[in-house]
Amino acid sequence: METNLLQIGETAHALRRAFDRRAAALGVTRAQWRVLVKLGRHPNLRQVELADLLDVEPITLCRIVDRLEDSGMVERRRDPADRRAWRLALTPKSEPLVGKLRLLADDLAREAFGGIEESELEQLQRALARVRENLVSGGGTTKKASNE
């Protein structure tokens, strides 16, 4: 079991590094890419909501958004329901970059999963979803380990 955890971690690390190398050629970091993709999928989020979705501290997100705003990719808008809060939106300038990043991610996925049958990928997706579910719900063997 421990070997599986190590392999998942090492695979995730390899994917992050491969993506970072490719994204750097476009002048964007993985953190910036994550913000751009989430805002593309969930427009007009409050900054604190986006931080929760990305599982980062609000101050960390603030710095990322500052850089994206300075580059003209993201804009902050006052939340009409709360003057202290900001809503975030992609700008038209971000569309070409987001498109390139999606293509980059698609290419990376094709490369990473090359030679793996569709049925194997579906089985992998189900297994990883179950791992996440176990961790979120506290299921699995964690209770047994803590009672020993």
Side-chain angles (χ1 to χ4, degrees):
M1 291 287 205
E2 182 179 330
T3 300
N4 291 335
L5 292 176
L6 291 172
Q7 287 185 354
I8 290 170
E10 289 171 359
T11 302
H13 182 71
L15 283 168
R16 285 190 300 270
R17 290 187 64 196
F19 184 87
D20 287 348
R21 282 192 305 272
R22 289 170 168 99
L26 298 175
V28 67
T29 66
R30 183 177 353 110
Q32 291 169 333
W33 175 76
R34 290 180 68 214
V35 168
L36 293 169
V37 167
K38 286 290 184 190
L39 285 177
R41 291 182 183 155
H42 307 281
N44 208 32
L45 284 174
R46 288 181 45 223
Q47 202 163 292
V48 69
E49 293 168 334
L50 181 59
D52 285 343
L53 276 177
L54 295 172
D55 196 25
V56 297
E57 292 297 321
I59 190 66
T60 301
L61 177 64
C62 185
R63 289 187 207 112
I64 297 166
V65 171
D66 285 346
R67 286 190 291 277
L68 288 170
E69 188 177 40
D70 289 345
S71 68
M73 300 289 168
V74 171
E75 66 180 6
R76 287 180 170 106
R77 300 175 184 155
R78 287 272 179 214
D79 185 333
D82 183 351
R83 295 184 330 194
R84 300 165 297 161
W86 293 99
R87 296 229 173 237
L88 303 172
L90 295 178
T91 65
K93 182 179 179 181
S94 70
E95 290 174 18
L97 177 60
V98 170
K100 288 176 186 175
L101 289 165
R102 285 196 174 117
L103 290 174
L104 184 152
D106 290 344
D107 288 344
L108 180 60
R110 273 191 293 280
E111 181 181 325
F113 299 119
I116 301 174
E117 297 294 325
E118 188 67 32
S119 61
E120 293 174 295
L121 289 174
E122 290 169 3
Q123 184 177 4
L124 174 62
Q125 288 173 350
R126 285 190 303 274
L128 291 172
R130 180 65 183 269
V131 169
R132 286 188 305 273
E133 182 181 306
N134 287 344
L135 292 171
V136 169
S137 69
T141 59
T142 54
K143 290 180 182 175
K144 179 182 175 186
S146 65
N147 289 335
E148 292 178 353

